[in-house]
Every structure is written in C-alpha cells, then in structure tokens.
C-alpha cells in the first residue's frame, strides 16, 4: 500500500541562513495555509513562527520532512506587496528573507510561545428588552428602584456602555447589574478595544490654511503623477510642505479612495504630525512607531490590515504598514539618517518606500529643505522629479543668520573664565539676544548636540580620562543624577573622587552637555521658564509631546536640547535660535560629517521666524570658514551641494559610487584583527577571480570606535560603480566565507551605510 502524497510547503524562518525550509501539511489545522500565512513549525529543538512563501515545494533530497504544527490565522499575515518588498530587501541588503519578514511583522506576531496575540477586550452592556411605556416601567421596577436607575442610565447613554464605566466611574453595584442581566433586560458581551494612545490626545487645533499658488502648482503636478513616480520636494523651512502632504492625501485618500503612508524621522515629530493629519482625516489615521507598546502597535497594524484605517503615520518601520491599494508614500525630512535601520536587516526606509511605491503604482514624495546628496543627484539626473517651494508661506522671510567666532570670544574672556563660566559658553551677542526675547515675551531655542553635563572627566595631574570598560569611548558626566554614563552601552558608575591611575585629587570636567547649559541658563535668567529636550528627558512614552505641547502653549520661554529640537517643529513665537557649539560632529572621521552638520544647522535655523515677528539665528563656532557653516549662514543649499560633491570625487564616495561596510567583530581583539585580515584577502581574491569591474576593496582597519559593548570591531569597505556587483559579491562572501566558531566572532554587511563610525 503506497503512502498518500503529502502537500509540501516552503517556509521562511527568522534564522541567519540564506535558505528556506520544507514542511508538510499533514494534519487538520485551525486555518488553511496560504502564501504569506504564518505557520508554527518545529525547527531543531524549538518551535518557530515562519511565513509560507510557496505551496508547491519540492521533496528535499535528504532529511526527514517535518510537519507544520499550526496555522494560527485565517488570513495571510503578509500580502503580495509586502512579500515582494521583503524579497527586495533580502536581496539588496543581503539578509536572509526570514529575518526580513520578522522585521516586517509586529512583534506580537513573531513569538512562537504565543502564536495567537492577545487582543484587548472590554465587557459591554447592551439593552436587550425595551420597556416603552411608563406604566410598564413602573410595574417592572416596582420593588427595584436601583435597577430602574441603572436601566434608565444605560438608555441615556444610547443603550450601550462599558461595564467598567458603570461599576468604577458611576459606582453602581455589580449585584444590580447581574439582576438586570438575569431578567434578560440587558446583555453583557465582550468587544475588542483598540489600544490607541493617540485617541485621547488633544493637540493644538490649527486653523485650516489655503494653499498658496506655489503650493497649488506642486499639488497639481503630484496629482497627475504617473504610477511609481518619485518627487523630490525641495522646500525651504517654513514653506508649507506639510500642507502639501495633507492636500495631496485629500486627493489620494478622500477622492480616489486609496491608502497612504507618511514617514517622519523622529518620534518627537510624531505627535505634531499625527495632530495635523488627524485634524483633517480623523480616525482614518493609525500610528506606528517604536515608542508604542507591542499591544498598541499590533492594534494599529490590525486596524490598517482590516481597512478600518487608511493612513499610516510613523517612523521608519511604518513603511511596512499592511495597507493595500496604496496611492502615496510620503517621506518627510528624507535626508535624516534615522531612516536607516541600525540592526539587521539594515534597510533604509526611504529606499524601501521607493521600491514599495514602484511595485504598488503609488506616488512617492521625498520632502526636505536640505535633501540628501543621493536624492539631489537622482533628481538632477532625471530619475526623480524635482519640485521646489522657494519661499516661506505668508510672505515670511528666512531668519537672518550671524556667526560668533568662539576663538575670539574665548580670548576675550580667558582671563576670568572659570570651569563653568557662563561667558565661555554663551557669548555676549547670544546672551543679549536671549535677554531681549525674554523682555519681549518671545521664545528661544538653543541647540547643543551633546547630552549630559560634561563630555568627559580628566585628571589634571596625569591627563587620564575616565573611559567605558566595555567601549572605546570616554564616559560622559551626568549631574542629575550624578553618574558617569557610556552613551553606547549605557554602562554607569559613580564619579571618582581621585584618579584611578595616579591617585590625584584634582579631576576636571571638560566639554559641554545639555545639562550644563540648562544650569547656566537657569542661573543667568532665574525667572525664565526653561525646558530641556534630549534622550535623558524624553524616556517616557509621552515625554516628547508634553514638552512640545508646553512650548506651543507658551509655557516655555527657552527650549534647549539636542538634534531632536532641530526638525519639523513649528512655533510662530520662536524668534531666536542659538547654536551653542556648531562644531560638534563636524570633524568626525566620516565622509558625511559635513553634510550632517550643514543639514542640522539649516534645519535648526529654520525653527526661527515662522511668525509675523521674524527671527534671528546666532551660530557659535570655531570654524566660521567651513563650507557647511558658511552655506548654512546664507541659506545656500546649492552652494553647499556644489562644494560637497566636488569633495567626493577623489576619493570617490556616494553619490558618486556605492558603498558596503563589512564589519568584523568579536570579544578578543587579536581574533577580530586576524578575521578582518583574512576577510579582506578573501574578498580581494574573489573580486580578482570574478573580474568584478569597478569594485574596490579597502582595508582592513579598526573602526573609528574600536570597541562597543565588549566587542572589538574592524571593518573593510567595498566601493563599487555598479549596485549589482555589491549584491553579488556580498551574498557570495556571507555564504562562503568561513567564520570560526570562537571568541564570539561575527560578520555584518551594511549596504549603503549612513555612518562609518
């Protein structure tokens, strides 16, 4: 008797192997397995959640085919569009497809221990038997006045309300509720509750603005876009790019009945963006970002997948929103490095958005006042369509920008400067400008892109600096609470009173941080209302929104913080922006350092002068002649692009070529160095043997930060004129290069890195 043929399926699992796995559908499952369905399968000695990628798998030549354990869902978790996007990310960024699919799904759908996610529910009371006349009511509740009071209250609430509301807020007795239920006058059921933290948020209500002629021209061009067309919207700060996005979505979502995705780079920007879009589109907007709980993200994901909401707003991962019939994907502040994922899979949300829109026939809008050089080059080459908004709305002008040379200011105050001397930190021109705003009841923003109190602590006798035991960086001094902190691995320790090396008792705090600026400003202007916005003050779920709401309500006179205050904020009463130290990050050993500096200065300068009172920007720097500073002063993006691009020709860097950063890491320095040397030699032999034209191997060398979280790091750069060569060589290398199973050795492949640190 022959064994009946089994149905074999191909499953992608979240494991670091460039392959899929074959399983059989032998049993009776809760639901039918389809392409894109989640399945629970045995893998080695554990259970894993995988995704079905084929229903017609071939019988493997070797090994026993194990059976699928369960099919948890009635509908596939991933539709054809997200499956296609996952395959592209897997191929382009050289990542196993199962790991990509795990990233695409919300966390509650990837755990094998609980394949059925918990759905939040509540008990709801509904009237089942109406009592229409007063006589009938008198008779029914003759001896039960409390039952009558509760029954009539439920009626007044529309015939339905939650049990929690009746028992906890209105203080009715559970026995009264049970009595009504026993008499079949009411019924108690369970209904799903969407966990939406933004539902109860009351943001700033802004009047609706009518588009200007320039905005109307841009909106009209986008509305007539061909399927998959990519627009680079280059608009100066305050030119009304958000209004363009909203009006485009009115056309796409309201009139054409399609769906849309809006990406923002910072969680700090999400509340403001959600406020603006919900003011127009109401409950059609769902929010997806990492600050939400797993349950909140799952509920938003489920509402989008079921078609209950048609617009997804969020940070990087919102590009994977489970929408169908997508009409537009908007990437606001497209130049931001936060769109690049820092862990495997190291995808860039901007590139993923372009690919997804192309596959779905949707329009893409990349918006920025300071576009990335890659996007600008694509626009000037005709790959993207360039649209511009050269003027601020309402006739407002860009703020005047002045430079304060810190070299001269330090010389002038050196004779009296103490360690924390205010005049050494805030120069006379900036101090006078802050005071003038306080006197006029206007608001100021101060930027210092370094958190903590002081950059490091140093012994005055021997020069020793306190460093992290796990990473190759100094420990940052935090004053409240007092501790030394590593900003890479978050190691913390108590500040030392004597030097660990020489025993010297004179330890000096060097460099500036936002905590120190806050103390100095508060001491200088004791009546000023000061708010600090950095990672330390925004760890709570709603911390970003609470600070910005206070600024918008006029309850803050001076907002100071790191780069998170530089983007997208729109406060008409902010008339001064001061950059405490523009040199932070400008001389880092990274080819994008100047570009990031220019973008940051230009973006923060754009926070000033958005109202009728105009604005002023003061930039404190020791390198006033640096082209990033000079071009930010004159608001001259084109001049910056011209000079910066010329500096990336020789040696060649993006956008003149493509890069991949191959990082070798492990717990032993010598093993990592040996592995990197062997890897570089292996790559050179591969390139030579395959005659990979235009591909260059550079290195190996230690990374700029040699050690992070106890792991030593070396890297090799691959430069190529052709993207497909990096794909081909990267995949072959990761599959074939042997990494010894010792000292925690690992190799990562970072395609199109945004930083080489």
């Amino acid at each position: 008797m022959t064994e009946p043929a089994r149905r074999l399926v191909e499953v992608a699992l979240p494991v670091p192997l460039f392959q899929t796995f074959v399983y059989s559908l032998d049993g009776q499952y809760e639901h039918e397995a389809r392409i894109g369905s989640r399945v629970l399968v045995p893998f080695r000695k554990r259970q894993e959640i995988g995704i079905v990628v084929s229903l017609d798998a071939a019988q493997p030549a070797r090994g026993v085919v194990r059976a699928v354990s369960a099919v948890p869902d009635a509908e596939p978790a991933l539709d054809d569009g997200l499956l296609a996007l996952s395959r592209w990310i897997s191929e382009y960024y050289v990542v196993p497809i199962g790991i990509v699919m795990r990233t695409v799904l919300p966390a509650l759908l990837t755990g094998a221990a609980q394949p059925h996610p918990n759905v939040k529910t509540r008990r709801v009371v509904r009237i089942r038997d109406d009592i229409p006349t007063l006589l009938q009511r008198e008779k029914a509740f003759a001896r039960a006045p409390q039952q009558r009071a509760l029954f009539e209250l439920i009626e007044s609430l529309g015939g339905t309300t939650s049990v929690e509301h009746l028992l906890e807020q209105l203080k009715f007795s559970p026995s009264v509720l049970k009595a009504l239920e026993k008499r079949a006058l009411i019924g108690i059921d369970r209904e799903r509750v969407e966990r939406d933290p933004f539902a109860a948020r009351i943001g700033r209500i802004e009047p609706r603005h009518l588009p200007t002629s320039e905005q109307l021209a841009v909106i009209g061009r986008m509305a007539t876009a061909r399927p998959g067309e990519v627009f680079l919207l280059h608009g100066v700060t305050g030119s009304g790019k958000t209004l363009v996005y909203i009006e485009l979505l009115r056309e796409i979502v309201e009139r054409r009945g399609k769906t849309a995705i809006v990406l923002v780079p910072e969680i700090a920007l999400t509340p403001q963006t959600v406020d603006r879009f919900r003011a127009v589109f109401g409950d059609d907007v769902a929010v997806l970002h990492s600050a939400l709980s797993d349950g909140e993200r799952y509920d938003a994901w489920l509402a989008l997948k079921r078609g209950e909401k048609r617009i997804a707003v969020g940070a990087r991962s919102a590009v994977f929103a489970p929408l169908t019939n997508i009409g537009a994907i908007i990437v606001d502040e497209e130049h931001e490095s936060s769109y690049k994922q820092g862990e495997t899979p190291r995808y860039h949300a901007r590139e993923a958005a372009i690919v997804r829109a192309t596959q779905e026939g949707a329009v893409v809008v990349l918006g920025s006042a300071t576009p990335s050089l890659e996007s600008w080059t694509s626009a000037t080459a005709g790959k993207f369509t360039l649209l511009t908004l050269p003027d601020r709305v309402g006739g407002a002008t860009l703020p005047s920008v002045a430079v304060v040379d810190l070299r001269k200011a330090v010389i002038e105050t050196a004779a009296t400067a103490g360690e924390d001397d205010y005049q050494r930190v805030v120069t006379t021109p900036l101090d006078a400008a802050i005071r003038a705003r306080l006197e006029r009841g206007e608001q100021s923003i101060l930027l210092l892109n370094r958190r903590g109190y002081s950059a490091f602590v140093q012994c005055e006798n021997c020069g020793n600096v306190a460093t992290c035991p796990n990473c190759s960086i100094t420990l940052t001094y935090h004053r409240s609470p007092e501790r030394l902190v590593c900003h890479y691995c978050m190691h913390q320790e108590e500040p030392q009173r004597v030097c660990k090396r020489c025993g010297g008792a004179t330890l000096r705090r060097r460099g500036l941080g936002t905590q120190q600026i806050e103390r100095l400003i508060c001491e200088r202007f004791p009546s000023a209302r000061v708010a600090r916005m950095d990672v330390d003050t925004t760890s709570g779920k709603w911390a970003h929104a609470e600070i910005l709401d206070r600024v918008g309500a006029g309850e803050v006179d001076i907002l100071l913080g790191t780069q998170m205050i530089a983007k997208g904020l729109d406060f008409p009463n902010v008339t001064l922006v001061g950059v405490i130290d523009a040199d932070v990050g400008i001389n880092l050993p990274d080819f994008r350092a100047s570009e990031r500096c220019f973008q940051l200065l230009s973006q923060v300068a754009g926070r000033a002068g958005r109202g009728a009172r105009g604005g002023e920007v003061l930039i404190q720097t020791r390198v006033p002649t640096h082209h990033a500073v000079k071009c930010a002063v004159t608001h001259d993006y084109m001049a910056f692009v011209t000079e910066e691009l010329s500096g990336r020709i020789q040696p060649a860097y993006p956008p003149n070529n493509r890069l991949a950063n191959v990082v070798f890491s492990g717990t032993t320095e010598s093993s990592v160095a040996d592995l990197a040397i062997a890897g570089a030699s292996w790559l050179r032999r591969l390139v030579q043997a395959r005659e990979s034209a235009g591909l260059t191997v550079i290195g190996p060398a230690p990374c700029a930060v040699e050690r992070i979280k106890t792991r030593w790091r070396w890297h090799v750069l691959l430069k190529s004129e052709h993207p497909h060569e990096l794909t081909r060589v990267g995949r072959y290398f990761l599959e074939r290069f042997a990494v010894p199973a010792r000292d925690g050795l690992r190799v990562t492949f970072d395609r199109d890195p945004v930083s080489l640190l």
Side-chain angles (χ1 to χ4, degrees), residues 638-675:
M638 290 305 304
F640 173 78
V641 168
T642 300
E643 184 158 354
E644 185 69 12
L645 283 177
S646 66
R648 297 194 189 179
I649 296 174
Q650 190 59 41
Y653 279 104
N656 295 312
N657 64 1
R658 298 297 185 96
L659 279 187
N661 191 22
V662 186
V663 180
F664 303 83
S665 66
T667 56
T668 304
E669 183 177 13
S670 59
S671 297
V672 174
D674 292 342
L675 182 66

Side-chain angles (χ1 to χ4, degrees), residues 59 125 177 235 332 492 631 641 661:
Q59 175 72 37
V125 176
L177 194 66
D332 192 27
Q492 299 185 22
C631 294
V641 168
N661 191 22

Side-chain angles (χ1 to χ4, degrees), residues 188-333:
I188 300 178
D189 305 307
R190 283 201 171 270
E191 69 175 15
R192 183 174 69 89
V193 178
E194 181 185 350
R195 289 163 283 196
D196 181 3
F198 286 84
R201 173 176 164 76
I202 303 175
R204 287 189 297 158
I205 305 300
E206 300 178 359
R208 182 182 175 186
H209 299 284
L210 296 177
T212 65
S213 57
E214 290 177 339
Q215 290 171 325
L216 285 172
V218 166
I219 295 164
R221 176 62 185 88
M222 291 177 180
T224 59
R226 64 182 182 275
E229 187 169 3
V230 181
F231 293 98
L232 176 61
L233 178 60
H234 179 210
V236 299
T237 55
S239 60
K241 292 186 288 294
T242 302
L243 180 59
V244 170
Y245 305 152
I246 288 173
E247 293 301 321
L248 175 63
L249 294 199
R250 284 184 189 274
E251 173 66 27
I252 296 294
V253 177
E254 291 187 345
R255 299 186 185 97
R256 301 184 188 177
K258 292 178 176 288
T259 62
I261 298 172
V262 181
L263 302 183
V264 293
E266 289 277 358
I267 293 173
L269 297 182
T270 307
Q272 277 201 331
T273 305
V274 171
D275 289 347
R276 291 172 181 172
F277 279 85
R278 280 198 166 167
V280 177
F281 301 104
D283 290 338
D284 236 353
V285 178
V287 184
L288 294 169
H289 66 67
S290 58
L292 303 180
S293 69
D294 287 345
E296 290 165 346
R297 284 179 62 85
Y298 174 67
D299 284 359
W301 181 91
L302 201 60
L304 291 165
K305 185 170 179 60
R306 290 175 171 176
E308 297 166 4
K309 298 180 186 290
R310 295 184 293 171
I311 300 174
V313 176
R316 182 175 59 233
S317 62
V319 74
F320 303 125
L323 291 166
T324 57
N325 194 26
I326 298 175
I329 302 180
I330 294 167
V331 185
D332 192 27
E333 309 291 2

